[in-house]
Amino acid sequence: MTQPRLGFIGIGLMGDPMTRRLLDAGFMVTVWNRTAEKCTPLREAGATVANSIAELVAGVDVVLLCLANTAVVEEVVFREGGVAAHGRAGQRLIDLSSSDPAATRLFAERLEEECGMRWVDAPVSGGVAGAEAGSLAIMCGGAEVDVEAVRPLLAPLSARVTHMGPVGAGQVTKVCNQMIVGCQAAVIAEMVALAEASGVDASRLTEALAGGFADSKPFQILTPRMAAREFDNPAWHLRTLLKDLDMAVAQSQRAGSGTPMTGLAAQLMRTHVDHGHAEHDPATLVEAYRR
């Protein structure tokens, strides 16, 4: 069976390695990015670089998005000259971004009404390292026929693809993931600072607690960076984590479910962002507690 032609929009920290994985798996991939020069290395890796969204959509069967936030997803899909203006029935859109669940449902309905394209929300967890290794966890929302159709496309990117329910369910699941990650990041910062203030070598914490109930991926990643004050070359940004926590609080209000811990973590991060750390590693949260 002929492999579908893929279009990838959003060549950033995650989009670049995901596109490379798809190219290595033998897919034909056309890319487009608002900052065009980010596409140049992918051209050298074998991708086709489109000059516009219209050109990309016209030449592919599936459009994948990996964008900064809900507003950017809406702009790329529904602006003049965007995906919806040039899409056609039979095509699918896969949104790998972390977007608002309620907005995602509206976007899916609108996209199908305007051009016949079907929407699968497929946010990812695992960070840049997971994107590079093809070990992401992908949580999907969409009709079963659509999710099953895109599974082979997601296989080179992921260790696991889970169909969570109708459109929007993948985004709700990602919100749940980020609630855990965000609250952990906040308490890990407190923990490292407390250890240091108490005369404990914080660089030994990951060794001491490995395999115990406190062990986790955020713990393993953030604790050494906090202890060593290594904040350069962040693999993710505080503004992104705050955006996800804000979406969790908004979703909790829609669902009538309390999120006091998530709300507190968001407040702490918002204060840190307001002090100039929006583009910095979440590991810098520890600096708020150091004397």
mmCIF file with all atom_site columns, all heavy atoms in Angstrom, residues 161-176:
data_model
loop_
_atom_site.group_PDB
_atom_site.id
_atom_site.type_symbol
_atom_site.label_atom_id
_atom_site.label_alt_id
_atom_site.label_comp_id
_atom_site.label_asym_id
_atom_site.label_entity_id
_atom_site.label_seq_id
_atom_site.pdbx_PDB_ins_code
_atom_site.Cartn_x
_atom_site.Cartn_y
_atom_site.Cartn_z
_atom_site.occupancy
_atom_site.B_iso_or_equiv
_atom_site.pdbx_formal_charge
_atom_site.auth_seq_id
_atom_site.auth_comp_id
_atom_site.auth_asym_id
_atom_site.auth_atom_id
_atom_site.pdbx_PDB_model_num
ATOM 1   N N   . VAL A 1 161 ? 0.557   4.601  21.620 1.00 0.00 ? 161 VAL A N   1
ATOM 2   C CA  . VAL A 1 161 ? -0.535  5.460  21.173 1.00 0.00 ? 161 VAL A CA  1
ATOM 3   C C   . VAL A 1 161 ? -1.810  4.936  21.818 1.00 0.00 ? 161 VAL A C   1
ATOM 4   O O   . VAL A 1 161 ? -2.161  3.767  21.644 1.00 0.00 ? 161 VAL A O   1
ATOM 5   C CB  . VAL A 1 161 ? -0.676  5.453  19.638 1.00 0.00 ? 161 VAL A CB  1
ATOM 6   C CG1 . VAL A 1 161 ? -1.890  6.267  19.208 1.00 0.00 ? 161 VAL A CG1 1
ATOM 7   C CG2 . VAL A 1 161 ? 0.594   5.984  18.979 1.00 0.00 ? 161 VAL A CG2 1
ATOM 8   N N   . THR A 1 162 ? -2.498  5.790  22.569 1.00 0.00 ? 162 THR A N   1
ATOM 9   C CA  . THR A 1 162 ? -3.703  5.365  23.272 1.00 0.00 ? 162 THR A CA  1
ATOM 10  C C   . THR A 1 162 ? -4.885  6.194  22.798 1.00 0.00 ? 162 THR A C   1
ATOM 11  O O   . THR A 1 162 ? -4.846  7.427  22.847 1.00 0.00 ? 162 THR A O   1
ATOM 12  C CB  . THR A 1 162 ? -3.552  5.542  24.801 1.00 0.00 ? 162 THR A CB  1
ATOM 13  O OG1 . THR A 1 162 ? -2.353  4.911  25.234 1.00 0.00 ? 162 THR A OG1 1
ATOM 14  C CG2 . THR A 1 162 ? -4.738  4.925  25.534 1.00 0.00 ? 162 THR A CG2 1
ATOM 15  N N   . HIS A 1 163 ? -5.944  5.512  22.340 1.00 0.00 ? 163 HIS A N   1
ATOM 16  C CA  . HIS A 1 163 ? -7.166  6.206  21.931 1.00 0.00 ? 163 HIS A CA  1
ATOM 17  C C   . HIS A 1 163 ? -8.009  6.436  23.175 1.00 0.00 ? 163 HIS A C   1
ATOM 18  O O   . HIS A 1 163 ? -8.520  5.497  23.783 1.00 0.00 ? 163 HIS A O   1
ATOM 19  C CB  . HIS A 1 163 ? -7.926  5.354  20.911 1.00 0.00 ? 163 HIS A CB  1
ATOM 20  C CG  . HIS A 1 163 ? -9.133  6.042  20.362 1.00 0.00 ? 163 HIS A CG  1
ATOM 21  N ND1 . HIS A 1 163 ? -10.114 5.379  19.658 1.00 0.00 ? 163 HIS A ND1 1
ATOM 22  C CD2 . HIS A 1 163 ? -9.535  7.354  20.406 1.00 0.00 ? 163 HIS A CD2 1
ATOM 23  C CE1 . HIS A 1 163 ? -11.055 6.230  19.292 1.00 0.00 ? 163 HIS A CE1 1
ATOM 24  N NE2 . HIS A 1 163 ? -10.730 7.438  19.744 1.00 0.00 ? 163 HIS A NE2 1
ATOM 25  N N   . MET A 1 164 ? -8.187  7.709  23.549 1.00 0.00 ? 164 MET A N   1
ATOM 26  C CA  . MET A 1 164 ? -8.832  8.062  24.808 1.00 0.00 ? 164 MET A CA  1
ATOM 27  C C   . MET A 1 164 ? -10.318 8.363  24.673 1.00 0.00 ? 164 MET A C   1
ATOM 28  O O   . MET A 1 164 ? -11.025 8.466  25.668 1.00 0.00 ? 164 MET A O   1
ATOM 29  C CB  . MET A 1 164 ? -8.128  9.270  25.433 1.00 0.00 ? 164 MET A CB  1
ATOM 30  C CG  . MET A 1 164 ? -6.680  9.016  25.791 1.00 0.00 ? 164 MET A CG  1
ATOM 31  S SD  . MET A 1 164 ? -6.437  7.619  26.912 1.00 0.00 ? 164 MET A SD  1
ATOM 32  C CE  . MET A 1 164 ? -7.316  8.187  28.375 1.00 0.00 ? 164 MET A CE  1
ATOM 33  N N   . GLY A 1 165 ? -10.812 8.513  23.435 1.00 0.00 ? 165 GLY A N   1
ATOM 34  C CA  . GLY A 1 165 ? -12.219 8.844  23.250 1.00 0.00 ? 165 GLY A CA  1
ATOM 35  C C   . GLY A 1 165 ? -12.409 9.774  22.069 1.00 0.00 ? 165 GLY A C   1
ATOM 36  O O   . GLY A 1 165 ? -11.554 9.859  21.188 1.00 0.00 ? 165 GLY A O   1
ATOM 37  N N   . PRO A 1 166 ? -13.528 10.486 22.015 1.00 0.00 ? 166 PRO A N   1
ATOM 38  C CA  . PRO A 1 166 ? -13.821 11.371 20.886 1.00 0.00 ? 166 PRO A CA  1
ATOM 39  C C   . PRO A 1 166 ? -12.876 12.576 20.852 1.00 0.00 ? 166 PRO A C   1
ATOM 40  O O   . PRO A 1 166 ? -12.051 12.768 21.758 1.00 0.00 ? 166 PRO A O   1
ATOM 41  C CB  . PRO A 1 166 ? -15.263 11.801 21.138 1.00 0.00 ? 166 PRO A CB  1
ATOM 42  C CG  . PRO A 1 166 ? -15.449 11.664 22.605 1.00 0.00 ? 166 PRO A CG  1
ATOM 43  C CD  . PRO A 1 166 ? -14.624 10.483 23.012 1.00 0.00 ? 166 PRO A CD  1
ATOM 44  N N   . VAL A 1 167 ? -12.995 13.376 19.804 1.00 0.00 ? 167 VAL A N   1
ATOM 45  C CA  . VAL A 1 167 ? -12.164 14.573 19.667 1.00 0.00 ? 167 VAL A CA  1
ATOM 46  C C   . VAL A 1 167 ? -12.176 15.378 20.970 1.00 0.00 ? 167 VAL A C   1
ATOM 47  O O   . VAL A 1 167 ? -13.228 15.605 21.575 1.00 0.00 ? 167 VAL A O   1
ATOM 48  C CB  . VAL A 1 167 ? -12.662 15.444 18.505 1.00 0.00 ? 167 VAL A CB  1
ATOM 49  C CG1 . VAL A 1 167 ? -11.967 16.803 18.522 1.00 0.00 ? 167 VAL A CG1 1
ATOM 50  C CG2 . VAL A 1 167 ? -12.414 14.756 17.165 1.00 0.00 ? 167 VAL A CG2 1
ATOM 51  N N   . GLY A 1 168 ? -11.007 15.800 21.405 1.00 0.00 ? 168 GLY A N   1
ATOM 52  C CA  . GLY A 1 168 ? -10.853 16.544 22.652 1.00 0.00 ? 168 GLY A CA  1
ATOM 53  C C   . GLY A 1 168 ? -10.386 15.687 23.797 1.00 0.00 ? 168 GLY A C   1
ATOM 54  O O   . GLY A 1 168 ? -9.773  16.189 24.749 1.00 0.00 ? 168 GLY A O   1
ATOM 55  N N   . ALA A 1 169 ? -10.642 14.376 23.749 1.00 0.00 ? 169 ALA A N   1
ATOM 56  C CA  . ALA A 1 169 ? -10.256 13.496 24.850 1.00 0.00 ? 169 ALA A CA  1
ATOM 57  C C   . ALA A 1 169 ? -8.738  13.388 24.979 1.00 0.00 ? 169 ALA A C   1
ATOM 58  O O   . ALA A 1 169 ? -8.201  13.245 26.090 1.00 0.00 ? 169 ALA A O   1
ATOM 59  C CB  . ALA A 1 169 ? -10.872 12.116 24.659 1.00 0.00 ? 169 ALA A CB  1
ATOM 60  N N   . GLY A 1 170 ? -8.035  13.446 23.857 1.00 0.00 ? 170 GLY A N   1
ATOM 61  C CA  . GLY A 1 170 ? -6.579  13.431 23.925 1.00 0.00 ? 170 GLY A CA  1
ATOM 62  C C   . GLY A 1 170 ? -6.044  14.652 24.641 1.00 0.00 ? 170 GLY A C   1
ATOM 63  O O   . GLY A 1 170 ? -5.111  14.563 25.452 1.00 0.00 ? 170 GLY A O   1
ATOM 64  N N   . GLN A 1 171 ? -6.653  15.809 24.359 1.00 0.00 ? 171 GLN A N   1
ATOM 65  C CA  . GLN A 1 171 ? -6.207  17.046 25.010 1.00 0.00 ? 171 GLN A CA  1
ATOM 66  C C   . GLN A 1 171 ? -6.532  17.042 26.501 1.00 0.00 ? 171 GLN A C   1
ATOM 67  O O   . GLN A 1 171 ? -5.752  17.553 27.313 1.00 0.00 ? 171 GLN A O   1
ATOM 68  C CB  . GLN A 1 171 ? -6.826  18.255 24.316 1.00 0.00 ? 171 GLN A CB  1
ATOM 69  C CG  . GLN A 1 171 ? -6.403  18.444 22.860 1.00 0.00 ? 171 GLN A CG  1
ATOM 70  C CD  . GLN A 1 171 ? -4.916  18.721 22.672 1.00 0.00 ? 171 GLN A CD  1
ATOM 71  O OE1 . GLN A 1 171 ? -4.164  18.884 23.639 1.00 0.00 ? 171 GLN A OE1 1
ATOM 72  N NE2 . GLN A 1 171 ? -4.484  18.799 21.426 1.00 0.00 ? 171 GLN A NE2 1
ATOM 73  N N   . VAL A 1 172 ? -7.670  16.480 26.883 1.00 0.00 ? 172 VAL A N   1
ATOM 74  C CA  . VAL A 1 172 ? -7.983  16.366 28.313 1.00 0.00 ? 172 VAL A CA  1
ATOM 75  C C   . VAL A 1 172 ? -6.943  15.486 29.004 1.00 0.00 ? 172 VAL A C   1
ATOM 76  O O   . VAL A 1 172 ? -6.463  15.799 30.099 1.00 0.00 ? 172 VAL A O   1
ATOM 77  C CB  . VAL A 1 172 ? -9.397  15.795 28.530 1.00 0.00 ? 172 VAL A CB  1
ATOM 78  C CG1 . VAL A 1 172 ? -9.633  15.495 30.017 1.00 0.00 ? 172 VAL A CG1 1
ATOM 79  C CG2 . VAL A 1 172 ? -10.460 16.774 28.035 1.00 0.00 ? 172 VAL A CG2 1
ATOM 80  N N   . THR A 1 173 ? -6.574  14.400 28.342 1.00 0.00 ? 173 THR A N   1
ATOM 81  C CA  . THR A 1 173 ? -5.574  13.495 28.918 1.00 0.00 ? 173 THR A CA  1
ATOM 82  C C   . THR A 1 173 ? -4.229  14.190 29.058 1.00 0.00 ? 173 THR A C   1
ATOM 83  O O   . THR A 1 173 ? -3.525  14.011 30.064 1.00 0.00 ? 173 THR A O   1
ATOM 84  C CB  . THR A 1 173 ? -5.439  12.239 28.049 1.00 0.00 ? 173 THR A CB  1
ATOM 85  O OG1 . THR A 1 173 ? -6.733  11.657 27.857 1.00 0.00 ? 173 THR A OG1 1
ATOM 86  C CG2 . THR A 1 173 ? -4.529  11.213 28.699 1.00 0.00 ? 173 THR A CG2 1
ATOM 87  N N   . LYS A 1 174 ? -3.852  14.999 28.069 1.00 0.00 ? 174 LYS A N   1
ATOM 88  C CA  . LYS A 1 174 ? -2.584  15.735 28.170 1.00 0.00 ? 174 LYS A CA  1
ATOM 89  C C   . LYS A 1 174 ? -2.643  16.742 29.308 1.00 0.00 ? 174 LYS A C   1
ATOM 90  O O   . LYS A 1 174 ? -1.658  16.933 30.040 1.00 0.00 ? 174 LYS A O   1
ATOM 91  C CB  . LYS A 1 174 ? -2.285  16.450 26.840 1.00 0.00 ? 174 LYS A CB  1
ATOM 92  C CG  . LYS A 1 174 ? -0.989  17.291 26.849 1.00 0.00 ? 174 LYS A CG  1
ATOM 93  C CD  . LYS A 1 174 ? 0.237   16.460 27.171 1.00 0.00 ? 174 LYS A CD  1
ATOM 94  C CE  . LYS A 1 174 ? 1.519   17.304 27.288 1.00 0.00 ? 174 LYS A CE  1
ATOM 95  N NZ  . LYS A 1 174 ? 1.982   17.850 26.014 1.00 0.00 ? 174 LYS A NZ  1
ATOM 96  N N   . VAL A 1 175 ? -3.795  17.383 29.497 1.00 0.00 ? 175 VAL A N   1
ATOM 97  C CA  . VAL A 1 175 ? -3.961  18.299 30.625 1.00 0.00 ? 175 VAL A CA  1
ATOM 98  C C   . VAL A 1 175 ? -3.725  17.554 31.940 1.00 0.00 ? 175 VAL A C   1
ATOM 99  O O   . VAL A 1 175 ? -3.044  18.054 32.846 1.00 0.00 ? 175 VAL A O   1
ATOM 100 C CB  . VAL A 1 175 ? -5.366  18.935 30.589 1.00 0.00 ? 175 VAL A CB  1
ATOM 101 C CG1 . VAL A 1 175 ? -5.753  19.485 31.951 1.00 0.00 ? 175 VAL A CG1 1
ATOM 102 C CG2 . VAL A 1 175 ? -5.410  20.059 29.550 1.00 0.00 ? 175 VAL A CG2 1
ATOM 103 N N   . CYS A 1 176 ? -4.275  16.345 32.053 1.00 0.00 ? 176 CYS A N   1
ATOM 104 C CA  . CYS A 1 176 ? -4.076  15.542 33.263 1.00 0.00 ? 176 CYS A CA  1
ATOM 105 C C   . CYS A 1 176 ? -2.592  15.235 33.469 1.00 0.00 ? 176 CYS A C   1
ATOM 106 O O   . CYS A 1 176 ? -2.074  15.291 34.590 1.00 0.00 ? 176 CYS A O   1
ATOM 107 C CB  . CYS A 1 176 ? -4.880  14.249 33.177 1.00 0.00 ? 176 CYS A CB  1
ATOM 108 S SG  . CYS A 1 176 ? -6.674  14.477 33.207 1.00 0.00 ? 176 CYS A SG  1
#
